[in-house]
Amino acid sequence: KELEAKGDTVVFGRNKFKVFAGVSETVLLGSDTDIVGHVERALQSGVAAKERKFAFAESPKSGEEHMSFYSSENEIVEVEGKDTFKAIKKAIAALHEDYRENATIVMSYGDYMEIIEKLANGNATLYGAQPEQVLGKPAVFTDAAVKPIGGDFSYSQYNYDIATTQFERDKDVKTGIEQFVVTAWFDHQIKLSSAFRIAK
């Protein structure tokens, strides 16, 4: 059986990254809304975007290879099919039944629409169907997924150092731009490669 876990205890590293946003002082002073709260929420969305960037990087940076589903370091098996739909079906079928039962498909919306267009063949009713009805498993859409991935995502774990995600502000007195920044230390571990398949 193809099975390789990463030990009884998963050890998470500390990968530091920052997300920035510059806001002019005229906007800060002239707005009657909670602009600071809005910027901080937007920075949190930026942190989520960073998670996707690391997890679906086709060419991860040195030291970040273990975080990507597409990295050869994780040795996730690629399953080929004549088209995207057949490749996804074969990838899900290739999973062991323990992982297939809880499988989710992560793919780009563009790939999904291509599947619908091909299957519908001019019939509009398929466009209103739920992705689970079409693919047989729930689907999550992100443009970061250049190749669809099927598997049990409970074996994909993100970890942030406690109390290390911090918001800071700094002003450039020459330009009047207030810089908002969030700093985070996090890691992503794929705990069991055999719980996933890449559809090619």
mmCIF file of all heavy atoms in Angstrom, residues 157-195:
data_model
loop_
_atom_site.group_PDB
_atom_site.id
_atom_site.type_symbol
_atom_site.label_atom_id
_atom_site.label_comp_id
_atom_site.label_asym_id
_atom_site.label_seq_id
_atom_site.Cartn_x
_atom_site.Cartn_y
_atom_site.Cartn_z
ATOM 1 N N GLN A 157 -2.988 20.594 6.919
ATOM 2 C CA GLN A 157 -3.166 21.397 8.129
ATOM 3 C C GLN A 157 -2.316 22.664 8.102
ATOM 4 O O GLN A 157 -1.121 22.630 7.835
ATOM 5 C CB GLN A 157 -2.798 20.577 9.371
ATOM 6 C CG GLN A 157 -3.171 21.292 10.666
ATOM 7 C CD GLN A 157 -2.988 20.405 11.883
ATOM 8 O OE1 GLN A 157 -2.981 19.190 11.784
ATOM 9 N NE2 GLN A 157 -2.824 21.012 13.025
ATOM 10 N N TYR A 158 -2.993 23.776 8.403
ATOM 11 C CA TYR A 158 -2.315 25.067 8.552
ATOM 12 C C TYR A 158 -2.099 25.320 10.038
ATOM 13 O O TYR A 158 -2.933 24.941 10.865
ATOM 14 C CB TYR A 158 -3.168 26.205 7.988
ATOM 15 C CG TYR A 158 -3.311 26.160 6.488
ATOM 16 C CD1 TYR A 158 -4.379 25.490 5.897
ATOM 17 C CD2 TYR A 158 -2.385 26.782 5.671
ATOM 18 C CE1 TYR A 158 -4.509 25.446 4.518
ATOM 19 C CE2 TYR A 158 -2.509 26.746 4.287
ATOM 20 C CZ TYR A 158 -3.570 26.079 3.725
ATOM 21 O OH TYR A 158 -3.699 26.025 2.357
ATOM 22 N N ASN A 159 -0.999 25.970 10.356
ATOM 23 C CA ASN A 159 -0.718 26.284 11.749
ATOM 24 C C ASN A 159 -0.083 27.671 11.837
ATOM 25 O O ASN A 159 0.865 27.969 11.115
ATOM 26 C CB ASN A 159 0.245 25.248 12.347
ATOM 27 C CG ASN A 159 0.458 25.454 13.822
ATOM 28 O OD1 ASN A 159 -0.456 25.327 14.612
ATOM 29 N ND2 ASN A 159 1.678 25.789 14.201
ATOM 30 N N TYR A 160 -0.624 28.503 12.721
ATOM 31 C CA TYR A 160 -0.052 29.818 12.990
ATOM 32 C C TYR A 160 0.529 29.819 14.391
ATOM 33 O O TYR A 160 -0.076 29.263 15.315
ATOM 34 C CB TYR A 160 -1.122 30.909 12.902
ATOM 35 C CG TYR A 160 -1.485 31.279 11.488
ATOM 36 C CD1 TYR A 160 -2.444 30.551 10.786
ATOM 37 C CD2 TYR A 160 -0.871 32.339 10.847
ATOM 38 C CE1 TYR A 160 -2.765 30.865 9.482
ATOM 39 C CE2 TYR A 160 -1.197 32.665 9.534
ATOM 40 C CZ TYR A 160 -2.140 31.930 8.870
ATOM 41 O OH TYR A 160 -2.464 32.246 7.575
ATOM 42 N N ASP A 161 1.699 30.441 14.543
ATOM 43 C CA ASP A 161 2.241 30.626 15.888
ATOM 44 C C ASP A 161 1.257 31.462 16.689
ATOM 45 O O ASP A 161 0.753 32.480 16.208
ATOM 46 C CB ASP A 161 3.592 31.354 15.829
ATOM 47 C CG ASP A 161 4.749 30.374 15.787
ATOM 48 O OD1 ASP A 161 4.484 29.179 15.594
ATOM 49 O OD2 ASP A 161 5.897 30.810 15.935
ATOM 50 N N ILE A 162 0.998 31.050 17.919
ATOM 51 C CA ILE A 162 0.012 31.736 18.758
ATOM 52 C C ILE A 162 0.461 33.172 19.011
ATOM 53 O O ILE A 162 1.602 33.441 19.354
ATOM 54 C CB ILE A 162 -0.180 30.983 20.098
ATOM 55 C CG1 ILE A 162 -0.753 29.589 19.812
ATOM 56 C CG2 ILE A 162 -1.075 31.752 21.051
ATOM 57 C CD1 ILE A 162 -0.756 28.669 20.980
ATOM 58 N N ALA A 163 -0.468 34.100 18.851
ATOM 59 C CA ALA A 163 -0.262 35.525 19.154
ATOM 60 C C ALA A 163 0.861 36.162 18.334
ATOM 61 O O ALA A 163 1.439 37.158 18.742
ATOM 62 C CB ALA A 163 0.003 35.722 20.644
ATOM 63 N N THR A 164 1.166 35.597 17.181
ATOM 64 C CA THR A 164 2.217 36.211 16.367
ATOM 65 C C THR A 164 1.653 36.996 15.189
ATOM 66 O O THR A 164 2.389 37.732 14.556
ATOM 67 C CB THR A 164 3.201 35.156 15.826
ATOM 68 O OG1 THR A 164 2.477 34.208 15.062
ATOM 69 C CG2 THR A 164 3.957 34.481 16.936
ATOM 70 N N THR A 165 0.360 36.819 14.907
ATOM 71 C CA THR A 165 -0.240 37.619 13.844
ATOM 72 C C THR A 165 -0.520 38.997 14.423
ATOM 73 O O THR A 165 -1.363 39.147 15.292
ATOM 74 C CB THR A 165 -1.538 36.967 13.341
ATOM 75 O OG1 THR A 165 -1.249 35.634 12.924
ATOM 76 C CG2 THR A 165 -2.114 37.734 12.173
ATOM 77 N N GLN A 166 0.195 40.007 13.964
ATOM 78 C CA GLN A 166 0.085 41.332 14.573
ATOM 79 C C GLN A 166 -0.081 42.408 13.523
ATOM 80 O O GLN A 166 0.506 42.341 12.442
ATOM 81 C CB GLN A 166 1.303 41.621 15.452
ATOM 82 C CG GLN A 166 2.626 41.313 14.782
ATOM 83 C CD GLN A 166 3.793 41.430 15.724
ATOM 84 O OE1 GLN A 166 4.245 42.528 15.971
ATOM 85 N NE2 GLN A 166 4.283 40.321 16.215
ATOM 86 N N PHE A 167 -0.906 43.405 13.859
ATOM 87 C CA PHE A 167 -1.115 44.550 12.987
ATOM 88 C C PHE A 167 -0.215 45.698 13.453
ATOM 89 O O PHE A 167 -0.112 45.958 14.639
ATOM 90 C CB PHE A 167 -2.576 45.009 13.036
ATOM 91 C CG PHE A 167 -3.525 44.013 12.435
ATOM 92 C CD1 PHE A 167 -4.216 43.120 13.230
ATOM 93 C CD2 PHE A 167 -3.729 43.974 11.063
ATOM 94 C CE1 PHE A 167 -5.089 42.201 12.671
ATOM 95 C CE2 PHE A 167 -4.606 43.058 10.501
ATOM 96 C CZ PHE A 167 -5.278 42.175 11.304
ATOM 97 N N GLU A 168 0.409 46.361 12.481
ATOM 98 C CA GLU A 168 1.248 47.512 12.799
ATOM 99 C C GLU A 168 0.966 48.625 11.804
ATOM 100 O O GLU A 168 0.491 48.372 10.701
ATOM 101 C CB GLU A 168 2.732 47.128 12.728
ATOM 102 C CG GLU A 168 3.151 46.101 13.776
ATOM 103 C CD GLU A 168 4.549 45.562 13.520
ATOM 104 O OE1 GLU A 168 4.731 44.847 12.519
ATOM 105 O OE2 GLU A 168 5.445 45.887 14.316
ATOM 106 N N ARG A 169 1.279 49.874 12.227
ATOM 107 C CA ARG A 169 1.098 51.029 11.353
ATOM 108 C C ARG A 169 2.354 51.879 11.387
ATOM 109 O O ARG A 169 3.023 51.980 12.409
ATOM 110 C CB ARG A 169 -0.075 51.887 11.832
ATOM 111 C CG ARG A 169 -1.431 51.272 11.589
ATOM 112 C CD ARG A 169 -2.518 52.059 12.287
ATOM 113 N NE ARG A 169 -2.702 53.393 11.735
ATOM 114 C CZ ARG A 169 -3.679 54.206 12.124
ATOM 115 N NH1 ARG A 169 -4.534 53.826 13.056
ATOM 116 N NH2 ARG A 169 -3.795 55.408 11.591
ATOM 117 N N ASP A 170 2.642 52.469 10.244
ATOM 118 C CA ASP A 170 3.780 53.380 10.165
ATOM 119 C C ASP A 170 3.466 54.421 9.102
ATOM 120 O O ASP A 170 2.867 54.093 8.071
ATOM 121 C CB ASP A 170 5.057 52.610 9.799
ATOM 122 C CG ASP A 170 6.311 53.458 9.995
ATOM 123 O OD1 ASP A 170 6.234 54.455 10.740
ATOM 124 O OD2 ASP A 170 7.342 53.116 9.391
ATOM 125 N N LYS A 171 3.860 55.667 9.363
ATOM 126 C CA LYS A 171 3.517 56.744 8.424
ATOM 127 C C LYS A 171 4.780 57.293 7.768
ATOM 128 O O LYS A 171 5.780 57.543 8.435
ATOM 129 C CB LYS A 171 2.788 57.867 9.155
ATOM 130 C CG LYS A 171 2.307 58.981 8.251
ATOM 131 C CD LYS A 171 1.526 60.015 9.024
ATOM 132 C CE LYS A 171 1.093 61.149 8.096
ATOM 133 N NZ LYS A 171 0.327 62.173 8.830
ATOM 134 N N ASP A 172 4.692 57.477 6.463
ATOM 135 C CA ASP A 172 5.750 58.145 5.717
ATOM 136 C C ASP A 172 5.396 59.636 5.706
ATOM 137 O O ASP A 172 4.469 60.066 5.028
ATOM 138 C CB ASP A 172 5.817 57.599 4.289
ATOM 139 C CG ASP A 172 6.993 58.171 3.497
ATOM 140 O OD1 ASP A 172 7.436 59.292 3.822
ATOM 141 O OD2 ASP A 172 7.450 57.496 2.562
ATOM 142 N N VAL A 173 6.135 60.435 6.490
ATOM 143 C CA VAL A 173 5.782 61.848 6.649
ATOM 144 C C VAL A 173 5.965 62.644 5.353
ATOM 145 O O VAL A 173 5.329 63.676 5.156
ATOM 146 C CB VAL A 173 6.600 62.501 7.795
ATOM 147 C CG1 VAL A 173 6.154 61.953 9.137
ATOM 148 C CG2 VAL A 173 8.085 62.317 7.592
ATOM 149 N N LYS A 174 6.817 62.152 4.450
ATOM 150 C CA LYS A 174 7.047 62.873 3.197
ATOM 151 C C LYS A 174 5.859 62.741 2.246
ATOM 152 O O LYS A 174 5.462 63.688 1.588
ATOM 153 C CB LYS A 174 8.306 62.340 2.509
ATOM 154 C CG LYS A 174 9.599 62.772 3.197
ATOM 155 C CD LYS A 174 10.800 62.266 2.426
ATOM 156 C CE LYS A 174 12.099 62.698 3.098
ATOM 157 N NZ LYS A 174 13.287 62.170 2.386
ATOM 158 N N THR A 175 5.305 61.538 2.163
ATOM 159 C CA THR A 175 4.210 61.301 1.214
ATOM 160 C C THR A 175 2.834 61.368 1.866
ATOM 161 O O THR A 175 1.827 61.513 1.170
ATOM 162 C CB THR A 175 4.371 59.915 0.552
ATOM 163 O OG1 THR A 175 4.304 58.913 1.567
ATOM 164 C CG2 THR A 175 5.694 59.809 -0.182
ATOM 165 N N GLY A 176 2.777 61.235 3.183
ATOM 166 C CA GLY A 176 1.482 61.224 3.877
ATOM 167 C C GLY A 176 0.756 59.899 3.768
ATOM 168 O O GLY A 176 -0.424 59.797 4.083
ATOM 169 N N ILE A 177 1.474 58.865 3.335
ATOM 170 C CA ILE A 177 0.865 57.531 3.213
ATOM 171 C C ILE A 177 1.069 56.766 4.512
ATOM 172 O O ILE A 177 2.183 56.653 5.017
ATOM 173 C CB ILE A 177 1.485 56.731 2.042
ATOM 174 C CG1 ILE A 177 1.263 57.456 0.702
ATOM 175 C CG2 ILE A 177 0.918 55.314 1.992
ATOM 176 C CD1 ILE A 177 -0.168 57.522 0.237
ATOM 177 N N GLU A 178 -0.027 56.271 5.051
ATOM 178 C CA GLU A 178 0.017 55.443 6.263
ATOM 179 C C GLU A 178 0.100 53.980 5.822
ATOM 180 O O GLU A 178 -0.753 53.498 5.078
ATOM 181 C CB GLU A 178 -1.251 55.663 7.079
ATOM 182 C CG GLU A 178 -1.219 55.055 8.461
ATOM 183 C CD GLU A 178 -0.918 56.066 9.549
ATOM 184 O OE1 GLU A 178 -1.134 57.269 9.350
ATOM 185 O OE2 GLU A 178 -0.473 55.616 10.607
ATOM 186 N N GLN A 179 1.162 53.311 6.247
ATOM 187 C CA GLN A 179 1.355 51.904 5.875
ATOM 188 C C GLN A 179 0.766 51.006 6.963
ATOM 189 O O GLN A 179 1.147 51.101 8.126
ATOM 190 C CB GLN A 179 2.848 51.588 5.707
ATOM 191 C CG GLN A 179 3.497 52.234 4.502
ATOM 192 C CD GLN A 179 3.043 51.650 3.181
ATOM 193 O OE1 GLN A 179 2.415 50.595 3.135
ATOM 194 N NE2 GLN A 179 3.360 52.330 2.097
ATOM 195 N N PHE A 180 -0.171 50.147 6.555
ATOM 196 C CA PHE A 180 -0.718 49.126 7.450
ATOM 197 C C PHE A 180 -0.061 47.798 7.073
ATOM 198 O O PHE A 180 0.061 47.483 5.899
ATOM 199 C CB PHE A 180 -2.228 49.006 7.272
ATOM 200 C CG PHE A 180 -3.005 50.187 7.784
ATOM 201 C CD1 PHE A 180 -3.112 51.344 7.018
ATOM 202 C CD2 PHE A 180 -3.614 50.149 9.028
ATOM 203 C CE1 PHE A 180 -3.813 52.431 7.476
ATOM 204 C CE2 PHE A 180 -4.332 51.240 9.498
ATOM 205 C CZ PHE A 180 -4.439 52.396 8.723
ATOM 206 N N VAL A 181 0.343 47.030 8.049
ATOM 207 C CA VAL A 181 0.998 45.753 7.760
ATOM 208 C C VAL A 181 0.570 44.706 8.785
ATOM 209 O O VAL A 181 0.360 45.017 9.958
ATOM 210 C CB VAL A 181 2.549 45.906 7.751
ATOM 211 C CG1 VAL A 181 3.072 46.396 9.102
ATOM 212 C CG2 VAL A 181 3.233 44.616 7.367
ATOM 213 N N VAL A 182 0.372 43.490 8.307
ATOM 214 C CA VAL A 182 0.143 42.366 9.217
ATOM 215 C C VAL A 182 1.311 41.402 9.028
ATOM 216 O O VAL A 182 1.717 41.107 7.906
ATOM 217 C CB VAL A 182 -1.220 41.670 8.965
ATOM 218 C CG1 VAL A 182 -1.329 41.123 7.559
ATOM 219 C CG2 VAL A 182 -1.471 40.564 9.974
ATOM 220 N N THR A 183 1.870 40.965 10.145
ATOM 221 C CA THR A 183 2.980 40.018 10.130
ATOM 222 C C THR A 183 2.497 38.698 10.709
ATOM 223 O O THR A 183 1.825 38.681 11.740
ATOM 224 C CB THR A 183 4.158 40.534 10.982
ATOM 225 O OG1 THR A 183 4.499 41.849 10.535
ATOM 226 C CG2 THR A 183 5.378 39.635 10.851
ATOM 227 N N ALA A 184 2.823 37.599 10.035
ATOM 228 C CA ALA A 184 2.372 36.280 10.517
ATOM 229 C C ALA A 184 3.477 35.256 10.320
ATOM 230 O O ALA A 184 4.266 35.355 9.387
ATOM 231 C CB ALA A 184 1.109 35.857 9.779
ATOM 232 N N TRP A 185 3.504 34.299 11.215
ATOM 233 C CA TRP A 185 4.402 33.154 11.102
ATOM 234 C C TRP A 185 3.521 31.917 11.002
ATOM 235 O O TRP A 185 2.721 31.642 11.905
ATOM 236 C CB TRP A 185 5.295 33.029 12.335
ATOM 237 C CG TRP A 185 6.362 34.072 12.429
ATOM 238 C CD1 TRP A 185 7.667 33.939 12.056
ATOM 239 C CD2 TRP A 185 6.242 35.395 12.949
ATOM 240 N NE1 TRP A 185 8.348 35.107 12.311
ATOM 241 C CE2 TRP A 185 7.505 36.013 12.849
ATOM 242 C CE3 TRP A 185 5.172 36.132 13.476
ATOM 243 C CZ2 TRP A 185 7.742 37.312 13.273
ATOM 244 C CZ3 TRP A 185 5.402 37.422 13.891
ATOM 245 C CH2 TRP A 185 6.675 38.007 13.788
ATOM 246 N N PHE A 186 3.631 31.195 9.899
ATOM 247 C CA PHE A 186 2.742 30.052 9.753
ATOM 248 C C PHE A 186 3.427 28.938 8.979
ATOM 249 O O PHE A 186 4.507 29.099 8.419
ATOM 250 C CB PHE A 186 1.434 30.493 9.089
ATOM 251 C CG PHE A 186 1.337 30.213 7.620
ATOM 252 C CD1 PHE A 186 0.366 29.352 7.131
ATOM 253 C CD2 PHE A 186 2.206 30.792 6.708
ATOM 254 C CE1 PHE A 186 0.268 29.088 5.779
ATOM 255 C CE2 PHE A 186 2.117 30.536 5.349
ATOM 256 C CZ PHE A 186 1.134 29.672 4.893
ATOM 257 N N ASP A 187 2.767 27.771 8.972
ATOM 258 C CA ASP A 187 3.273 26.629 8.221
ATOM 259 C C ASP A 187 2.085 25.812 7.727
ATOM 260 O O ASP A 187 1.005 25.842 8.323
ATOM 261 C CB ASP A 187 4.175 25.761 9.115
ATOM 262 C CG ASP A 187 5.083 24.844 8.303
ATOM 263 O OD1 ASP A 187 5.126 24.983 7.068
ATOM 264 O OD2 ASP A 187 5.742 23.985 8.902
ATOM 265 N N HIS A 188 2.303 25.115 6.620
ATOM 266 C CA HIS A 188 1.290 24.214 6.076
ATOM 267 C C HIS A 188 1.935 22.851 5.906
ATOM 268 O O HIS A 188 2.989 22.733 5.293
ATOM 269 C CB HIS A 188 0.794 24.731 4.717
ATOM 270 C CG HIS A 188 -0.138 23.797 4.021
ATOM 271 N ND1 HIS A 188 -0.016 23.456 2.686
ATOM 272 C CD2 HIS A 188 -1.209 23.102 4.474
ATOM 273 C CE1 HIS A 188 -0.972 22.612 2.353
ATOM 274 N NE2 HIS A 188 -1.702 22.377 3.416
ATOM 275 N N GLN A 189 1.324 21.837 6.484
ATOM 276 C CA GLN A 189 1.852 20.475 6.390
ATOM 277 C C GLN A 189 0.812 19.568 5.747
ATOM 278 O O GLN A 189 -0.354 19.554 6.149
ATOM 279 C CB GLN A 189 2.200 19.926 7.789
ATOM 280 C CG GLN A 189 3.359 20.628 8.467
ATOM 281 C CD GLN A 189 4.714 20.196 7.929
ATOM 282 O OE1 GLN A 189 4.806 19.243 7.160
ATOM 283 N NE2 GLN A 189 5.760 20.885 8.335
ATOM 284 N N ILE A 190 1.250 18.828 4.732
ATOM 285 C CA ILE A 190 0.416 17.778 4.139
ATOM 286 C C ILE A 190 0.793 16.506 4.879
ATOM 287 O O ILE A 190 1.869 15.940 4.665
ATOM 288 C CB ILE A 190 0.661 17.679 2.619
ATOM 289 C CG1 ILE A 190 0.212 18.997 1.964
ATOM 290 C CG2 ILE A 190 -0.091 16.492 2.027
ATOM 291 C CD1 ILE A 190 0.734 19.207 0.578
ATOM 292 N N LYS A 191 -0.070 16.091 5.787
ATOM 293 C CA LYS A 191 0.299 15.044 6.748
ATOM 294 C C LYS A 191 0.309 13.645 6.148
ATOM 295 O O LYS A 191 0.971 12.754 6.656
ATOM 296 C CB LYS A 191 -0.656 15.087 7.953
ATOM 297 C CG LYS A 191 -0.594 16.405 8.717
ATOM 298 C CD LYS A 191 -1.431 16.378 9.963
ATOM 299 C CE LYS A 191 -2.908 16.455 9.635
ATOM 300 N NZ LYS A 191 -3.754 16.528 10.846
ATOM 301 N N LEU A 192 -0.452 13.464 5.064
ATOM 302 C CA LEU A 192 -0.532 12.138 4.451
ATOM 303 C C LEU A 192 -0.733 12.299 2.945
ATOM 304 O O LEU A 192 -1.833 12.605 2.489
ATOM 305 C CB LEU A 192 -1.690 11.349 5.070
ATOM 306 C CG LEU A 192 -1.773 9.870 4.733
ATOM 307 C CD1 LEU A 192 -0.578 9.098 5.278
ATOM 308 C CD2 LEU A 192 -3.055 9.280 5.311
ATOM 309 N N SER A 193 0.329 12.105 2.193
ATOM 310 C CA SER A 193 0.260 12.336 0.735
ATOM 311 C C SER A 193 -0.709 11.391 0.044
ATOM 312 O O SER A 193 -1.330 11.746 -0.953
ATOM 313 C CB SER A 193 1.657 12.187 0.124
ATOM 314 O OG SER A 193 2.513 13.201 0.610
ATOM 315 N N SER A 194 -0.853 10.172 0.558
ATOM 316 C CA SER A 194 -1.720 9.189 -0.098
ATOM 317 C C SER A 194 -3.203 9.523 0.046
ATOM 318 O O SER A 194 -4.047 8.878 -0.567
ATOM 319 C CB SER A 194 -1.444 7.793 0.458
ATOM 320 O OG SER A 194 -1.615 7.765 1.843
ATOM 321 N N ALA A 195 -3.529 10.553 0.831
ATOM 322 C CA ALA A 195 -4.932 10.990 0.963
ATOM 323 C C ALA A 195 -5.337 11.938 -0.160
ATOM 324 O O ALA A 195 -6.466 12.415 -0.188
ATOM 325 C CB ALA A 195 -5.145 11.652 2.316
#
